[in-house]
């Protein structure tokens, strides 16, 4: 969605002030909550349109902040290799996610609730992984990371 433009720029500015990992954790948790608490119970056009706008913003942060996270924890000589590796892993998830989503929708006779739950849970798992990565860097200290 067009709101993703703002989701790619505003969280980057916030990340400069509060930390890249902190911002990524917040936006990934927001994405998971939007799917599970807003999209899942939505009925009608207006909630779907609002979800698309809010999710476009929160998911846009992942697109712009993920390479910055890799660069933050990498030696400058390894940034290209590690960023490429990150996108290679993401590509497997992107290739597998669509058939899984299609199978879930087909299994439910065209209903999207199985897909919505799958998406929300996978985003929540991703948020936990970001929290774990942050913890491995600085522990539970409240610092800009």
């Amino acid at each position: 969605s067009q709101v993703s433009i703002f989701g790619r720029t505003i969280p980057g500015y916030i990340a400069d002030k509060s930390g890249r990992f902190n911002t990524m954790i917040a936006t990934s948790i927001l994405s998971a909550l939007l799917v599970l608490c807003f999209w899942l119970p939505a009925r009608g056009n207006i909630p779907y349109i609002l979800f698309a706008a809010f999710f476009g913003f929160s998911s846009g942060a992942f697109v712009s902040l993920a390479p910055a996270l890799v660069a933050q924890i990498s030696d400058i000589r390894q940034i290209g290799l590690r960023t490429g590796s990150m996108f290679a892993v993401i590509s497997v998830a992107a290739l597998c996610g669509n058939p899984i989503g299609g199978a879930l929708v087909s299994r439910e006779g065209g209903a999207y609730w199985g897909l919505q739950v799958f998406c929300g849970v996978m985003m929540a798992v991703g948020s936990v992984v970001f929290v774990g990565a942050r913890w491995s860097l600085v522990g539970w200290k409240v610092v800009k990371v």
Side-chain angles (χ1 to χ4, degrees):
S1 89
Q2 296 299 327
V3 181
S4 178
I5 293 169
F6 300 108
R8 293 175 191 217
T9 54
I10 294 170
Y13 176 78
I14 294 169
D16 287 340
K17 305 294 183 198
S18 66
R20 291 172 197 88
F21 274 92
N22 297 335
T23 305
M24 181 64 96
I25 290 167
T27 56
S28 62
I29 290 171
L30 176 63
S31 292
L33 289 175
L34 283 170
V35 169
L36 293 172
C37 299
F38 199 86
W39 187 29
L40 188 59
R43 302 290 178 260
N45 290 337
I46 292 174
Y48 291 137
I49 292 167
L50 291 174
F51 167 76
F54 293 136
F55 185 77
F57 180 85
S58 66
S59 65
F62 177 79
V63 174
S64 63
L65 289 179
L69 294 178
V70 172
Q72 178 176 337
I73 62 170
S74 300
D75 178 50
I76 195 161
R77 295 173 297 228
Q78 297 293 316
I79 292 174
L81 174 69
R82 291 183 178 178
T83 302
S85 299
M86 176 197 68
F87 282 119
V89 171
I90 290 172
S91 72
V92 173
L95 286 172
C96 295
N98 289 332
I100 291 170
L104 290 170
V105 171
S106 294
R107 187 185 78 184
E108 299 303 323
Y112 283 84
W113 74 269
L115 170 65
Q116 293 164 324
V117 170
F118 175 74
C119 290
V121 169
M122 289 297 105
M123 287 181 206
V125 169
S127 300
V128 170
V129 171
F130 285 128
V131 169
R134 184 197 184 284
W135 177 79
S136 72
L137 290 172
V138 296
W140 297 116
K141 292 183 263 183
V142 180
V143 294
K144 177 180 169 181
V145 181

